[in-house]
């Protein structure tokens, strides 16, 4: 714990002339859950996509385990880092067929599945409680089950790092907590390093070991959520007035917004 | 005991292979001249049979049947590849312009140098080169348009229209070539002999082998471009590779049998209805179904004319297989589409 798993140095990204990320020096520590926070358009999703190299960095470098991966091939990266982007389309395939694709970066020349591949797929399905649904088509599943299926795809990659772009969007609160608990157990039990974009600040307070707050494409602050999620930060970054309180029963710390400025 | 029961797709493979072989035996036996099973067995045992019978089977019917099976397989595979990468079930091989390129090149050859008609082995080579050139043009233009080849169907259709207009123009000015060219446009297996087998064979061997090997890549593309590239699949290259493969398959088939339609549409469609979208299952199944449809259609075409003498066809059995695939294929496809729409509500 505590080792630097991912580092970005002076990382910048822009669409044409519009700068989305400017000189980002982010640190993701090994074995931790890091949550990226910020308003819409602050660049949090773009940062995740640039780290996963779905988007090309305009300037700067990305290091994974101390190695510069800025120009590494996607396939090599996909063995070390799995990224789950926001899912908008429903695919015409079964859960098993989807999860199987997670073995793509590991498969041999002819992409035949070997014993260890089948084992990895089985483990991913078991971990996400989808074994009984593996032969169902994705469009037969509920929203929560479908999200678990995509998570299983990322798990089948057997990577040390999981990047998740808003894994709880479009889910009711029950399924949100369900998937966050699953993500937490992946972190605690398997030591996976997790970086995710969340919109819900209370969920960041409850689940994150570390938060990185972005504002206008720059890092505003980073650190343990209880330290950096403060009324001042919420005012400056989210432009809301809020109190931070601790629930006497659960001892969970939550923020309560009461006004927009 | 479980290994004794074949999985669903393997049962289908076995049934289809048996059906294709049955069509093969029927093709050898029936036609303008009927041959008895015992005579056929004599020929294949290498024993003495009547030379005319041997000539009919070995020099006419057998190569024709082999070409029907190969060309059907190739069109079926080309169709299923294109449908998978464009995610459009209405796409067929001609969409990338290869068919109209083949036809135009063949017609140019026939009209400019009518002697090609007699040396029929040169014609397919011309057609094939023409088809591939047009495909390259379509690739080039759709790549320039960006979007990793999303516009390929649109550009293919537009280029095809231009080429078809050119073909019509040539036909109108050189009407003496109309008869032979028409058979080409409809697609026919008449007069196809061993030399044509040798022309189609390398295309079939290379195209089908590579096509089956690329099934997993195709499955990767099904995730969508974002997720596929995250998994390390280079999306644009893979799509181009698959498009190139389907062009080679189509050019090889069309250059020998002409522009036989509907097979590359129906074969893949039926295959996917049986086994779903998984390319590792739908590719081989589409190959077998399409091979069965074309060899079956050619058998029907040859024997229908014997059973139902149509006055204008009284000289030779000249009903082209392409007419059968269109005649049977189009209504059948409407039926399948209707069921599909009702069942899935799409």
């Amino acid at each position: 714990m505590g080792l630097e798993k991912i580092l970005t140095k002076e990382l910048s990204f822009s669409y044409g002339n519009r700068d989305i990320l400017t000189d980002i020096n982010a640190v993701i520590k090994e074995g931790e859950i890091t949550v990226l926070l910020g308003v819409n358009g602050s660049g949090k999703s773009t940062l995740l996509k640039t780290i996963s190299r779905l988007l090309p960095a305009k300037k700067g470098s990305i290091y994974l385990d101390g190695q510069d991966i800025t120009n590494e091939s996607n396939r090599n990266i996909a063995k070390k880092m799995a990224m789950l982007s926001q899912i908008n389309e429903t695919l015409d395939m079964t859960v098993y067929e989807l999860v199987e694709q997670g073995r793509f970066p590991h498969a041999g020349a002819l992409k035949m599945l070997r014993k260890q591949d089948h084992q990895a797929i089985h483990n991913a399905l078991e971990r996400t409680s989808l074994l009984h649904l593996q032969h169902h088509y994705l469009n037969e599943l509920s929203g929560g089950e479908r999200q678990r299926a995509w998570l299983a795809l990322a798990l089948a990659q057997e990577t040390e790092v999981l990047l998740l772009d808003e894994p709880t969007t479009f889910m009711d609160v029950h399924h949100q907590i369900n998937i966050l608990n699953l993500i937490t157990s992946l972190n605690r039990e398997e030591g996976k390093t997790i970086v995710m974009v969340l919109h819900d600040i209370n969920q960041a307070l409850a689940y994150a070991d570390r938060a990185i707050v972005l504002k206008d494409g720059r890092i505003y602050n980073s650190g343990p959520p209880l330290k950096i999620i403060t009324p001042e930060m919420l005012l400056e970054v989210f432009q809301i007035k809020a109190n931070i309180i601790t629930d006497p029963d659960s001892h969970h710390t939550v923020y309560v917004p009461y006004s927009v400025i | 005991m479980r290994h004794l029961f074949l999985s669903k797709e393997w049962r289908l493979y076995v049934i289809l292979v048996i059906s294709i072989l049955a069509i093969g035996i029927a093709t050898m036996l029936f036609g303008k001249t009927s041959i008895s099973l015992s005579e056929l067995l004599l020929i294949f045992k290498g024993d003495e049979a009547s030379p005319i019978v041997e000539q009919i089977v070995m020099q006419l019917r057998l190569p024709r049947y082999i070409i029907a099976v190969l060309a059907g397989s190739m069109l079926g595979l080309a169709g299923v590849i294109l449908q998978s990468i464009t995610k459009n079930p209405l796409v067929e091989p001609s969409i990338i312009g290869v068919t109209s390129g083949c036809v135009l090149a063949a017609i140019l050859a026939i009209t400019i140098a009518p002697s090609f008609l007699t040396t029929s082995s040169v014609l397919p080579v011309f057609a094939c080169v023409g088809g591939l050139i047009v495909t390259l043009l379509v690739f080039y233009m759709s790549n320039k348009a960006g979007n990793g080849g999303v516009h390929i169907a649109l550009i293919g259709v537009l280029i095809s229209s231009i080429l078809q207009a050119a073909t019509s123009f040539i036909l109108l000015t050189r009407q003496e070539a109309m008869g032979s060219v028409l058979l080409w446009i409809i697609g026919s297996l008449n007069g196809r002999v061993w030399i044509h087998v040798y022309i189609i064979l390398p295309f079939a061997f290379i195209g089908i082998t590579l096509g089956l090997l690329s099934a997993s890549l195709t499955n990767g593309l099904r995730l969508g471009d974002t997720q596929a590239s995250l998994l390390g699949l280079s999306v644009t290259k893979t799509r181009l590779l698959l498009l190139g493969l389907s062009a080679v398959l189509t050019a090889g088939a069309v250059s020998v049998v002409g522009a036989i339609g509907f097979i590359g549409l129906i074969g893949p469609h039926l295959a996917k209805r049986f086994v779903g979208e998984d390319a590792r299952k739908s590719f081989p199944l589409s190959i077998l179904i399409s091979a069965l449809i074309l060899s079956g259609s050619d058998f029907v075409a040859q024997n229908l004319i014997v059973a139902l003498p149509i006055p204008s066809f009284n000289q030779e059995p000249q009903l082209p297989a392409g007419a059968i695939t269109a005649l049977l294929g189009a209504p059948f496809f409407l039926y399948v589409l209707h069921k599909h729409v009702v069942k899935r509500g799409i």
Side-chain angles (χ1 to χ4, degrees):
Chain A
M1 287 262 189
L3 285 172
E4 289 159 352
K5 189 74 179 172
I6 301 169
L7 273 179
T8 69
K9 283 197 180 149
E10 316 272 299
L11 190 66
S12 299
F13 177 81
S14 53
Y15 280 116
N17 289 327
R18 206 159 63 93
D19 290 336
I20 309 292
L21 294 176
T22 314
D23 295 333
I24 299 282
N25 293 304
V27 179
I28 310 290
K29 294 206 168 168
E30 187 170 355
E32 284 193 352
I33 297 179
T34 303
V35 170
L36 306 182
L37 290 174
V39 294
N40 290 338
S42 61
K44 55 194 189 308
S45 206
T46 307
L47 177 58
L48 202 68
K49 284 177 187 156
T50 315
I51 290 173
S52 78
R53 297 170 348 129
L54 197 56
L55 296 174
K58 182 188 168 196
K59 185 170 84 63
S61 339
I62 306 153
Y63 296 86
L64 175 64
D65 292 326
Q67 279 184 315
D68 188 345
I69 57 159
T70 320
N71 298 309
E72 181 74 86
S73 80
N74 275 4
R75 193 172 161 170
N76 283 339
I77 303 290
K79 292 180 196 170
K80 297 171 188 158
M81 199 157 73
M83 160 91 175
L84 194 54
S85 55
Q86 285 181 56
I87 311 304
N88 302 316
E89 50 181 334
T90 311
L91 302 176
D92 194 7
M93 56 169 76
T94 65
V95 173
Y96 193 92
E97 283 171 41
L98 175 71
V99 178
E100 212 183 333
Q101 299 303 323
R103 299 309 295 168
F104 189 89
H106 298 273
L110 294 181
K111 314 287 176 204
M112 299 292 250
L113 293 181
R114 295 151 299 181
K115 200 178 162 194
Q116 67 265 37
D117 296 318
H118 287 292
Q119 190 59 48
I121 295 163
H122 181 89
N123 291 346
L125 288 167
E126 193 170 41
R127 208 76 184 74
T128 49
S129 318
L130 285 172
L131 277 175
H132 63 297
L133 293 171
Q134 57 178 305
H135 297 302
H136 286 245
Y137 277 86
L138 290 174
N139 54 17
E140 299 166 6
L141 305 184
S142 71
E145 289 163 343
R146 203 175 299 146
Q147 186 67 328
R148 291 214 307 273
W150 282 94
L151 186 62
L153 161 74
L155 292 184
Q157 279 175 255
E158 293 189 316
T159 58
E160 291 170 10
V161 180
L162 272 181
L163 308 177
L164 308 167
D165 196 355
E166 298 189 27
T168 54
T169 332
F170 306 126
M171 297 167 98
D172 61 51
V173 68
H174 174 89
H175 287 98
Q176 287 190 18
I177 293 173
N178 190 310
I179 201 116
L180 287 168
N181 285 344
L182 173 57
I183 290 166
T184 307
S185 69
L186 289 168
N187 167 259
R188 301 286 185 261
E189 290 159 26
E190 296 173 28
K192 285 189 195 289
T193 304
I194 288 160
V195 187
M196 58 183 164
V197 172
L198 287 181
H199 264 299
D200 188 330
I201 294 165
N202 282 335
Q203 288 177 350
L205 281 163
Y207 290 95
D209 296 311
R210 182 173 296 270
I212 297 177
V213 180
L214 287 135
K215 190 188 180 202
D216 301 328
R218 293 172 189 272
I219 291 184
Y220 172 85
N221 199 0
S222 67
L226 290 175
K227 271 196 187 147
I228 66 159
I229 297 176
T230 59
E232 297 74 47
M233 185 280 277
L234 293 168
L235 192 65
E236 284 186 31
V237 175
F238 291 89
Q239 273 137 32
I240 51 169
K241 289 183 180 174
N243 286 328
I244 310 282
I245 56 172
T246 302
D247 174 39
D249 280 343
S250 68
H251 303 294
H252 278 194
T253 301
V254 292
Y255 89 107
V256 182
Y258 58 88
S259 172
V260 175
I261 58 162
Chain B
M1 284 298 282
R2 216 175 132 225
H3 62 279
L4 286 179
F5 298 99
L6 295 170
S7 62
K8 183 186 171 190
E9 62 267 19
W10 279 98
R11 278 203 303 271
L12 283 167
Y13 297 158
V14 170
I15 292 168
L16 284 164
V17 168
I18 292 172
S19 308
I20 291 168
L21 291 175
I23 291 282
I25 294 167
T27 304
M28 299 309 126
L29 296 180
F30 303 107
K32 238 174 111 188
T33 313
S34 276
I35 291 164
S36 70
L37 196 59
S38 53
E39 278 177 302
L40 187 67
L41 285 174
L42 278 181
I43 294 169
F44 281 105
K45 265 196 240 158
D47 287 355
E48 268 185 47
S50 117
I52 292 172
V53 168
E54 187 166 344
Q55 175 83 9
I56 289 173
V57 170
M58 297 306 284
Q59 301 303 322
L60 298 174
R61 288 182 185 171
L62 184 60
R64 180 182 182 134
Y65 166 72
I66 291 173
I67 289 169
V69 170
L70 290 178
S73 306
M74 293 158 83
L75 291 171
L77 181 55
V80 76
I81 290 176
L82 287 173
Q83 288 186 5
S84 299
I85 55 181
T86 58
K87 292 182 182 166
N88 182 347
L90 295 174
V91 162
E92 64 158 340
S94 61
I95 205 98
I96 49 174
V98 58
T99 310
S100 52
C102 283
V103 170
L104 180 61
I107 285 163
L108 276 174
I110 291 170
T111 49
I112 291 168
S115 62
F116 276 140
L117 273 178
T118 45
T119 54
S120 56
S121 63
V122 184
L123 192 60
V125 178
F126 249 85
C128 191
V129 171
L132 291 177
I133 288 174
V134 172
T135 312
L136 282 176
L137 181 72
V138 172
F139 283 4
Y140 175 74
M141 288 179 70
S142 65
N143 239 22
K144 273 214 131 177
N147 262 346
V150 172
H151 295 305
I152 198 142
L154 193 58
I155 292 170
V157 168
L158 291 174
I159 299 239
S160 294
S161 306
I162 297 168
L163 297 184
Q164 277 157 16
T167 303
S168 305
F169 180 74
I170 294 173
L171 280 181
L172 285 172
T173 52
R174 305 288 291 269
Q175 295 200 352
E176 68 276 10
M178 189 84 101
S180 54
V181 164
L182 202 57
L183 269 187
W184 241 88
I185 294 173
I186 301 169
S188 165
L189 283 130
N190 289 329
R192 299 300 186 270
V193 289
W194 284 109
I195 180 76
H196 300 105
V197 176
Y198 304 141
I199 292 168
I200 203 172
L201 203 57
F203 286 97
F205 181 74
I206 294 170
I208 292 173
T209 308
L210 291 180
L212 289 176
L213 288 178
S214 62
S216 292
L217 292 174
T218 313
N219 273 345
L221 284 181
R222 287 167 58 211
L223 290 177
D225 291 5
T226 304
Q227 202 64 41
S229 66
L230 280 171
L231 288 170
L233 184 71
S234 62
V235 174
T236 310
K237 267 191 219 159
T238 307
R239 202 177 277 127
L240 272 180
L241 170 87
L242 289 166
L243 284 169
L245 259 179
S246 46
V248 168
L249 284 163
T250 311
V254 171
S255 64
V256 170
V257 300
I260 289 185
F262 285 103
I263 288 186
L265 190 63
I266 295 169
H269 193 84
L270 286 176
K272 286 177 179 182
R273 283 177 62 84
F274 283 125
V275 295
E277 295 277 339
D278 187 345
R280 286 164 309 176
K281 297 173 187 168
S282 67
F283 280 19
L285 199 62
S286 178
I287 289 175
L288 291 173
I289 291 176
S290 308
L292 179 65
I293 294 175
L294 186 51
S295 56
S297 295
D298 191 47
F299 174 75
V300 171
Q302 285 189 80
N303 287 282
L304 199 63
I305 213 73
V306 178
L308 301 169
I310 302 165
S312 53
F313 282 101
N314 54 4
Q315 306 234 304
E316 288 278 316
Q318 284 269 341
L319 189 60
I324 298 290
T325 61
L327 203 66
L328 300 180
F332 178 71
F333 187 65
L334 273 177
Y335 163 75
V336 169
L337 204 63
H338 173 72
K339 273 188 79 173
H340 191 77
V341 169
V342 171
K343 193 181 158 203
R344 313 257 319 244
I346 298 166

